[in-house]
Amino acid sequence: MEYANLSLDEIRQHLETIEQNKSELQRALVTRRQEAKQGVVQQIRDLISHNGYELDEIVPLIQTRRRRGAAATPRATPSGRDYTRYVDPENAQNIYVRGVLPGWMKQKMQEQGYDASKKADREAFKANYLQVLEA
């Protein structure tokens, strides 16, 4: 469809239609996922039964157990310290925790007019450009 020739009202109408379709698709997706989950549950029950076990015997073995203490938190270090993690808002793969500055961060700092060798500039860059990554 050629959108350049549409009027403002026609464009708005198309956007409303798209939003309605999106909402309907979201609902259909949720419904299909629920149906698929029920299918998986039935397959698991059949498999357990077919192998001669009771559901109550197997389900506790499937559930993961969480460890207690500092090792249970993914951000904790062996010393038990918890450091702030910063993420590049333009690329979520770029994460900085502490220590030597990664190349991507030095490049971004230089592009923004910061000097990576100065602590004040590093702190300002982290505060003004990077986002804190929540655990």
Side-chain angles (χ1 to χ4, degrees), residues 13 15-25 27:
Q13 183 64 36
L15 285 173
E16 287 176 21
T17 303
I18 289 170
E19 285 299 318
Q20 287 175 338
N21 291 342
K22 182 179 177 183
S23 296
E24 290 172 16
L25 285 170
R27 285 191 294 273

Side-chain angles (χ1 to χ4, degrees), residues 3 33 40 50 55-56 61 74 80 88 96 120 124 126 131 133:
Y3 296 111
R33 283 187 52 83
V40 170
H50 177 74
L55 193 61
D56 296 341
L61 301 173
D88 179 359
Y96 171 71
K126 288 190 289 187
Q131 296 175 345
L133 185 64

Side-chain angles (χ1 to χ4, degrees), residues 96-112:
Y96 171 71
V97 180
R98 68 185 295 256
V100 178
L101 296 180
W104 66 265
M105 189 168 164
K106 288 180 184 177
Q107 181 182 358
K108 298 272 184 180
M109 287 182 71
Q110 190 175 29
E111 291 170 2
Q112 299 282 329

